[in-house]
Amino acid sequence: HVQLVESGGGSVQGGESLRLSCEISLYIYSSYCMGWFRQAPGKERAAVAAHYTGTATTYVADSVKGRFTISRDNAKTTLYLQMNSLKPEDTAMYYCAADPGRRRSCITGSGLYWGQGTQVTVS
């Protein structure tokens, strides 16, 4: 049974920090890639950050580079997104996603397993 369960969202003031967590089923935790996406009202879903298991490399979107960091805790099979210096434009629903073992893109998001999302609101 595949599960991705996000937590850590909330409402903060600009300049503050949040850390999102995503507990991922062991079954897919070692898959090709895992990542974070976000979708604001009226906007398309966009990749925020991704981590590639085999190479331990990361992707971070230009809009959050220098402020957001993606990491993982293998012992806890958990993916994190540390978000610092938050801005109002970071307000969105944030989703965790993982490759289902088919080397799908963690940047386009097509064909991934998805969590239910956690809301981040920055005022």
Side-chain angles (χ1 to χ4, degrees):
H1 179 59
V2 176
Q3 281 192 306
L4 296 89
V5 181
E6 301 100 332
S7 61
S11 296
V12 297
Q13 300 284 331
E16 294 184 342
S17 299
L18 282 173
R19 188 178 77 159
L20 305 184
S21 300
C22 178
E23 294 184 51
I24 300 175
S25 298
L26 181 61
Y27 173 71
I28 57 171
Y29 185 74
S30 296
S31 64
Y32 172 61
C33 64
M34 299 179 288
W36 290 96
F37 293 76
R38 68 185 183 185
Q39 186 167 23
K43 295 188 177 181
E44 293 188 354
R45 181 184 66 198
V48 176
H51 185 281
Y52 295 87
T53 302
T55 58
T57 54
T58 60
Y59 159 84
V60 180
D62 287 342
S63 58
V64 303
K65 197 165 291 183
R67 301 188 296 122
F68 290 14
T69 303
I70 188 170
S71 63
R72 55 194 286 173
D73 183 330
N74 293 336
K76 298 180 179 179
T77 64
T78 299
L79 186 71
Y80 299 102
L81 184 68
Q82 178 66 43
M83 306 186 294
N84 298 330
S85 302
L86 282 161
K87 303 177 181 179
E89 52 263 44
D90 295 319
T91 295
M93 183 71 79
Y94 283 72
Y95 297 91
C96 172
D99 165 60
R102 298 179 182 179
R103 297 182 69 86
R104 298 301 176 100
S105 172
C106 285
I107 296 178
T108 66
S110 177
L112 301 179
Y113 288 131
W114 293 90
Q116 83 286 352
T118 186
Q119 178 68 37
V120 172
T121 302
V122 186
S123 59

